[in-house]
Amino acid sequence: MKNEIHHNKMTVINGGHFSDLEGFYEEISTVFMKDTDWKVGTLDGFDDILYGGFGVFENSEKLEIVWKESQKSKEDLGFDLTKEFYENKIRQGKPFNVKLIQEKLDELIEGKGQTLFDILIEIIESHKNITLILE
């Protein structure tokens, strides 16, 4: 019987490759979904692929995500872009819950809300099989 060594799979998100949410989705689609036709285009979609089984890793498989240039991403996906993200959803209305989004926008403006960067980090960290390393 061979001794099998299991290494955690490692994936790199490069903050130098994007400066907005659409760019982040492009980067994620390239990194996680290569060889598939499916593209990530929403926060829920990003959460879904982290369960595995779609692209480069299987369900519950241990995964390490290294986010290079994360400080740049933190600034890019910070207050201004998040405010615009919420305002666009409010302007669009249905199917979005405008009241909930307005509350999130108010919290953001009061300095208590999450930025898009914070939300993305929270999504990643909600997956116990994934280790996130910010560089």
Side-chain angles (χ1 to χ4, degrees):
M1 211 159 59
K2 280 194 242 167
N3 288 338
E4 285 189 39
I5 300 169
H6 289 283
H7 293 290
N8 290 357
K9 284 199 173 168
M10 191 185 91
T11 302
V12 176
I13 299 171
N14 190 330
H17 293 171
F18 58 89
S19 58
D20 59 15
L21 195 58
E22 287 70 30
F24 173 80
Y25 291 146
E26 279 293 314
E27 174 77 353
I28 289 301
S29 296
T30 303
V31 168
F32 285 95
M33 308 305 293
K34 59 181 169 213
D35 305 326
T36 70
D37 292 336
W38 201 71
K39 294 270 184 252
V40 178
T42 64
L43 293 171
D44 287 339
F46 174 53
D47 188 36
D48 287 345
I49 65 159
L50 293 180
Y51 284 102
F54 296 105
V56 296
F57 72 107
E58 294 309 311
N59 295 7
S60 304
E61 189 174 11
K62 294 258 183 251
L63 179 69
E64 218 170 71
I65 297 177
V66 177
W67 191 327
K68 293 186 183 295
E69 295 190 47
S70 61
Q71 192 54 45
K72 176 188 178 295
S73 295
K74 186 175 184 159
E75 291 161 19
D76 289 341
L77 304 172
F79 179 86
D80 293 342
L81 199 73
T82 307
K83 184 170 176 281
E84 189 182 307
F85 174 77
Y86 287 141
E87 287 169 348
N88 286 340
K89 285 192 176 326
I90 290 167
R91 208 172 21 254
Q92 196 177 331
K94 285 185 178 152
F96 300 110
N97 180 339
V98 172
K99 186 174 179 290
L100 178 68
I101 293 167
Q102 185 63 56
E103 285 168 16
K104 288 181 182 282
L105 179 60
D106 293 344
E107 284 174 9
L108 182 76
I109 291 168
E110 290 163 20
K112 295 184 294 206
Q114 290 181 302
T115 63
L116 287 167
F117 182 77
D118 297 329
I119 293 166
L120 293 170
I121 297 296
E122 184 178 80
I123 290 171
I124 295 168
E125 289 180 341
S126 73
H127 294 267
K128 300 299 175 222
N129 57 311
I130 297 177
T131 306
L132 176 64
I133 298 159
L134 300 177
E135 289 187 348

